[in-house]
Amino acid sequence: MKKGIVLFFSIFLVIPAITLAQHHGSFQKYWYVQASDTLPYRLLLPAKYNPQKKYPLILFLHGAGERGNNNESQLNNGGLLFVRDSIMLNYPAIVVFPQCAKHSSWANSNSQKDTVTKIRTYTFPKISEPKKDMKLVMELLAELSKDYSVDTTRLYVGGLSMGGFGTYDLVNRMPEKFAAAFVICGAGDTSNAKNMTRPSWWLFHGEKDSTVFPQNSRMMEEALKKAGADVKLTIYPEDGHDSWNDAFKEPGLFEWMFKKKLTN
């Protein structure tokens, strides 16, 4: 009898893993190679991709826990969102998930933790070259726009945690490219806000986040609004650092994003 119970629960646990792998398999594996540098990335095309039609492109930057070179982990948080039938049918887009190297990051930043308040604050170098992985992402975007039928007026970028830092960094480096950007539990350089007013912004954060404190999003919201950007902030009162779980459930996220389009 015990064998039957163990077998039942083993099968029960395996089924979600198989389902996850099947959904992630919708994302094709690619590697962008430039000289001696390689950027793994996964690419999802619309279900009925037609090269004669233009599609929005969504770039998603993962967090620190998904770094590596297996071209798999970057889909762990967020990958399933984009393969939902309701999303693929109603919001067809070219979706790209690059993977940052294990000991690297998307953006240049330094952190310091206050010994009394335990609050971690961030500083950002004023003049800096992009990190190697970010430089590869920027080059990859240019290549994808050539290789696929991309609507360049509807480029969207988003990220969580370390990927949120990267989202701010990328928009600052390519301020005219993106129509919308969303940041989940991230932080950025508020002094760059004047350079990041072109896209519309939606920021998300957990009030109980002790990894990247919510005031980082509040400061960015204030700076972006002061600079004239279209920005809104959603705070989840009971969420910690994993606020992406609730952000991904926001019913209006894709509707909001797909309405954004660059104009001359």
Side-chain angles (χ1 to χ4, degrees):
M1 184 65 179
K2 285 185 177 179
K3 283 186 177 180
I5 293 173
V6 171
L7 178 61
F8 172 79
F9 279 104
S10 297
I11 293 172
F12 182 77
L13 291 172
V14 167
I15 288 174
I18 293 174
T19 304
L20 188 70
Q22 288 173 338
H23 282 308
H24 283 181
S26 302
F27 283 84
Q28 297 302 305
K29 284 187 177 182
Y30 294 97
W31 288 262
Y32 176 71
V33 180
Q34 186 69 13
S36 60
D37 297 323
T38 300
L39 178 75
Y41 69 98
R42 300 293 287 269
L43 181 75
L44 178 69
L45 292 178
K48 296 181 180 180
Y49 177 72
N50 179 357
Q52 304 303 316
K53 182 180 177 181
K54 295 288 186 181
Y55 297 91
L57 184 146
I58 303 172
L59 172 70
F60 191 86
L61 302 178
H62 64 76
E66 293 75 61
R67 290 177 292 185
N69 60 3
N70 61 7
N71 216 355
E72 293 277 354
S73 303
Q74 71 265 41
L75 295 175
N76 286 351
N77 294 313
L80 290 180
L81 173 67
F82 294 95
V83 294
R84 290 178 188 166
D85 289 341
S86 59
I87 299 300
M88 292 196 73
L89 291 174
N90 296 314
Y91 304 101
I94 298 167
V95 184
V96 187
F97 272 66
Q99 186 177 30
C100 185
K102 188 173 182 179
H103 298 294
S104 186
S105 61
W106 297 121
N108 293 294
S109 67
N110 299 298
S111 67
Q112 184 174 0
K113 192 172 185 179
D114 189 289
T115 56
V116 177
T117 65
K118 307 299 182 183
I119 293 177
R120 186 176 299 277
T121 57
Y122 300 91
T123 57
F124 302 86
K126 294 305 175 188
I127 300 175
S128 66
E129 289 296 314
K131 301 281 281 187
K132 181 185 73 173
D133 295 271
M134 179 58 76
K135 186 173 184 293
L136 291 171
V137 166
M138 294 167 70
E139 294 171 355
L140 174 62
L141 279 175
E143 289 298 315
L144 293 175
S145 295
K146 295 176 185 176
D147 295 341
Y148 296 94
S149 189
V150 176
D151 182 350
T152 55
T153 68
R154 300 174 73 197
L155 297 183
Y156 309 130
V157 60
L160 61 87
S161 193
M162 184 186 82
F165 286 67
T167 299
Y168 289 125
D169 185 70
L170 181 58
V171 172
N172 183 52
R173 295 182 187 281
M174 306 177 75
E176 301 299 318
K177 290 290 185 181
F178 298 99
F182 62 94
V183 175
I184 306 168
C185 59
D189 189 348
T190 56
S191 68
N192 290 329
K194 290 182 180 179
N195 197 46
M196 300 191 293
T197 59
R198 190 80 188 271
S200 294
W201 294 86
W202 194 347
L203 316 182
F204 303 90
H205 224 114
E207 187 65 72
K208 297 181 179 180
D209 191 338
S210 59
T211 302
V212 181
F213 285 82
Q215 56 260 46
N216 287 286
S217 286
R218 290 192 172 102
M219 288 189 299
M220 284 303 301
E221 180 203 25
E222 181 181 358
L224 287 166
K225 277 186 175 179
K226 188 175 180 180
D230 172 28
V231 57
K232 60 180 178 177
L233 170 63
T234 297
I235 296 288
Y236 301 109
E238 299 303 319
D239 283 6
H241 190 54
D242 60 351
S243 55
W244 53 81
N245 291 320
D246 279 327
F248 292 153
K249 294 175 186 175
E250 282 289 341
L253 177 58
F254 278 83
E255 182 181 4
W256 166 84
M257 184 163 52
F258 269 60
K259 286 180 179 178
K260 307 304 179 182
K261 183 176 182 177
L262 293 180
T263 62
N264 292 329

